[in-house]
């Protein structure tokens, strides 16, 4: 029976070993194939554990201690150093069981077999399955975040992914303006410091981008080649005790669109050929999500350019300051529906409009341009005595008759010369958030109750519309805005309007110039899903001669 057993073992690619209670490891029968190196035993000598990859030591130690305490099966895969090369490791499968003999410490018998190919196949499938779940993100940072999280800390200890600017070309300084950055670091490592708008990557990054080839730099722990990389990266690599830096370009349709910068730290050896190949596989599978995301961003850029072409700078107005701004949403293709406009009429009156067309795409941007042009023409044709309610009614009829109807909300206002210290205001609101008035000598307030608005345009024929009247005195500010300024998903709109009023009151006390005050009203929350348009007018304050 023993001869038959030894004959069987000689045909298997594995090593059988025994571990005596005193910690002595013996090999009763080795396979004819080269024996895997690095058997581990829990004796006083730590040389065997030193052969285990640094990233696997804590986990492997916990597995062994638990099995020893419970006297249970050990079945795990661990990376073990091959021979005397400090940077070459291979995955081995360790299976061991205790042999009960009634003593306090059992004997163990186990096998070690090569698991490199199986581990690589399973790990590749696991990583690519995670990448398959990456959709066309609203921006590239989402795809980068999921990629970075997938490879840290199993393959590398830290990774930063930089987007290469669209304008960068081969042979040029590709990183004059690196944009989106995603960083993932293993627990215990220092955070990457803020990069800042003047951050530049070094010459090694330029070479990787232009050559589209992976580059690996190995160096003593904490001693990176500073002449090849940026000062910020050099400082972080030193602090983290990095042992290497790998630069992996991400190529889509023949163009480098991103650069992944990966490092191992704190005594962990550089990634071997297997790890680098897996990293390259993962980054190659970003091709689909990145292509779709870039297509969405291209649509967004075109929509934004089209929309901004219709948003002319406000005209100069006598005895008043007029300012406007437009902020697109923080998401791909989320551009299109919001607009503002100001028309100076011959007698010194000013027609102001703020509006929003349903949708966030190229169609919404195109419809916005048509509606804006129609309303501008109607406002000028109606002149300073026209009723804003009548003007919106005319617009409603024209749009429904000549154009593809879309749900449109708008505020159209006329500011006419009035008292010596201000202007008379008449406006009509078609389903839009209420205008905000910031008096020079009183708390901010809305010009009407949010519930007192007429229906939006294009909802029905012959909708009755009303005019609302007010007076702007010297130093008062009128703010017209779209719903992106106040609407936050999951938040009650009345609460958001109240917060806008409170924010305006705080800012008005600082005496800010009108453009600065309006910019300060913008919400600070990240990942904004809607665009914002604002137009505001401040009447000139009275002087002593006017009083």
């Amino acid at each position: 029976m023993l001869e038959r057993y030894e004959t069987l073992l000689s045909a298997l690619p594995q090593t059988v070993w025994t571990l005596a209670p005193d910690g002595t490891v013996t090999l009763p029968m080795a396979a004819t194939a080269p024996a895997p190196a690095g058997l581990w035993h829990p004796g006083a000598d730590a040389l065997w554990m030193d052969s285990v990859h640094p990233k696997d030591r804590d986990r492997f130690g916990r597995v062994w201690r638990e099995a020893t305490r419970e006297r249970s099966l050990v079945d795990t895969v661990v990376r073990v150093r091959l021979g005397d090369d400090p940077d070459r490791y291979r995955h081995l499968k360790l299976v061991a069981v205790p042999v009960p003999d009634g003593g306090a410490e059992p004997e163990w018998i186990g096998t070690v077999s090569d698991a490199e190919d199986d581990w690589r196949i399973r790990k590749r499938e696991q990583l690519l399955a995670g990448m398959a779940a990456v959709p066309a993100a609203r921006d590239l940072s989402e795809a980068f975040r999921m990629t970075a999280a997938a490879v840290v800390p199993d393959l590398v200890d830290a990774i930063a992914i930089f987007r290469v600017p669209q304008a960068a070309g081969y042979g040029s300084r590709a990183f004059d303006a690196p944009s989106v950055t995603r960083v993932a670091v293993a627990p215990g490592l220092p955070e990457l410091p803020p990069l800042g708008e003047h951050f530049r990557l070094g010459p090694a990054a330029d070479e990787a981008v232009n050559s589209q080839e992976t580059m690996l730099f190995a160096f003593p722990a904490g001693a990176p080649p500073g002449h090849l990389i940026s000062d910020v990266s050099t400082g972080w690599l030193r602090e983290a005790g990095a042992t290497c830096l790998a630069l992996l370009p991400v190529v889509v349709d023949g163009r480098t669109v991103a650069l992944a910068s990966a490092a191992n730290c704190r005594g962990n050896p550089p990634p071997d050929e297997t790890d680098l190949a897996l990293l390259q596989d993962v980054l190659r599978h970003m091709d689909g999500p990145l292509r779709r995301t870039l297509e969405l961003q291209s649509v967004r850029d075109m929509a934004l350019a089209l929309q901004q072409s219709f948003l002319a700078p406000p005209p100069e107005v006598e005895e008043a300051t007029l300012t406007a701004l437009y902020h697109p949403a923080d998401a791909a293709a989320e551009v299109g529906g919001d607009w503002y406009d100001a028309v100076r009429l011959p007698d010194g009156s000013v027609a102001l409009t703020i509006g929003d067309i349903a949708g966030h795409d190229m169609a919404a941007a195109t419809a916005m341009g048509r509606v804006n042009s129609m309303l501008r023409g109607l406002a000028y044709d109606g002149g300073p005595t026209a009723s804003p309610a009548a003007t919106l009614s005319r617009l409603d009829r024209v749009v429904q008759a000549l154009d593809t109807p879309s749900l449109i909300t708008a505020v159209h206002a006329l500011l006419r010369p009035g008292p010596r210290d201000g202007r008379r205001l008449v406006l009509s609101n078609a389903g839009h958030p209420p205008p905000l008035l910031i008096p020079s000598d009183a708390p901010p307030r809305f010009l009407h109750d949010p519930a007192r608005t007429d229906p939006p345009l294009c909802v029905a024929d012959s909708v009755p519309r009303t005019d609302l009247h007010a007076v702007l005195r010297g130093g008062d500010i009128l703010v017209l805005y779209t719903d992106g300024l106040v609407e936050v998903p999951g938040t009650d709109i009345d609460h958001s309007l109240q917060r806008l009023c409170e924010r305006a009151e705080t800012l008005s006390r600082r005496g800010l110039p009108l453009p600065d005050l309006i910019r300060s009203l913008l919400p600070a929350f990240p990942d904004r899903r809607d665009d914002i348009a604002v137009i505001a007018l401040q009447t000139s304050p009275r002087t002593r001669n006017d009083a």
Side-chain angles (χ1 to χ4, degrees), residues 6 13 109 131 149 180 192 263 350 409 455 498:
E6 290 177 345
I109 184 168
M131 291 302 299
V180 176
L192 190 70
V350 181
T409 68
Q498 181 61 32

Side-chain angles (χ1 to χ4, degrees), residues 8 50 111-112 155 158 173 224-225 232 282 303 306 413-414 433 448 538:
L8 174 63
D50 287 346
T111 62
V112 175
L155 295 183
R173 173 79 184 162
V232 173
V282 169
L306 177 63
L414 279 176
H448 62 79
Q538 182 176 26

Side-chain angles (χ1 to χ4, degrees), residues 70-273:
E70 302 293 336
R71 298 194 177 186
S72 59
L73 172 72
V74 174
D75 187 349
T76 189
V77 174
V78 63
R79 280 171 288 186
V80 176
R81 186 171 59 241
L82 298 180
D84 297 328
D85 189 337
D87 297 331
R88 290 193 62 206
Y89 288 83
R90 196 165 183 86
H91 287 84
L92 303 179
K93 181 177 178 61
L94 173 70
V95 178
V97 292
V99 179
D101 59 1
E105 295 292 335
E107 182 182 51
W108 291 78
I109 184 168
T111 62
V112 175
S113 57
D114 186 83
E116 183 65 29
D117 292 342
D118 288 343
W119 178 88
R120 179 173 180 177
I121 291 172
R122 288 197 303 271
K123 177 56 77 173
R124 184 177 185 276
E125 290 175 348
Q126 174 188 343
L127 291 173
L128 297 188
M131 291 302 299
V134 179
R138 285 180 290 106
D139 55 51
L140 290 180
S141 64
E142 179 67 12
F144 291 166
R145 182 193 66 78
M146 297 184 72
T147 302
V151 300
V152 174
D154 287 347
L155 295 183
V156 292
D157 291 326
I159 188 169
I161 305 179
F162 301 89
R163 180 186 173 190
V164 176
Q166 296 269 350
Y170 304 131
S172 67
R173 173 79 184 162
F175 282 97
D176 279 346
S179 51
V180 176
T181 304
R182 267 297 165 187
V183 179
V185 297
L189 291 178
E191 293 292 330
L192 190 70
L195 300 181
E197 60 177 323
H198 300 296
F199 173 73
R200 299 290 181 269
L201 292 179
D206 285 336
E207 183 177 350
V209 168
N210 292 323
S211 68
Q212 299 186 344
E213 294 181 357
T214 296
M215 303 174 67
L216 176 64
F217 302 92
F219 40 82
H227 64 288
L228 294 177
I229 56 180
S230 70
D231 292 341
V232 173
S233 299
T234 298
W236 186 89
L237 292 170
R238 286 174 178 166
E239 184 181 0
T243 58
C244 65
L245 177 67
L247 300 175
L248 302 97
V250 181
V251 181
V252 175
D253 296 334
R255 187 174 66 82
T256 305
V257 300
L259 181 72
S261 175
N264 276 343
C265 307
R266 295 187 176 173
N268 291 325
D272 57 19
E273 294 179 0

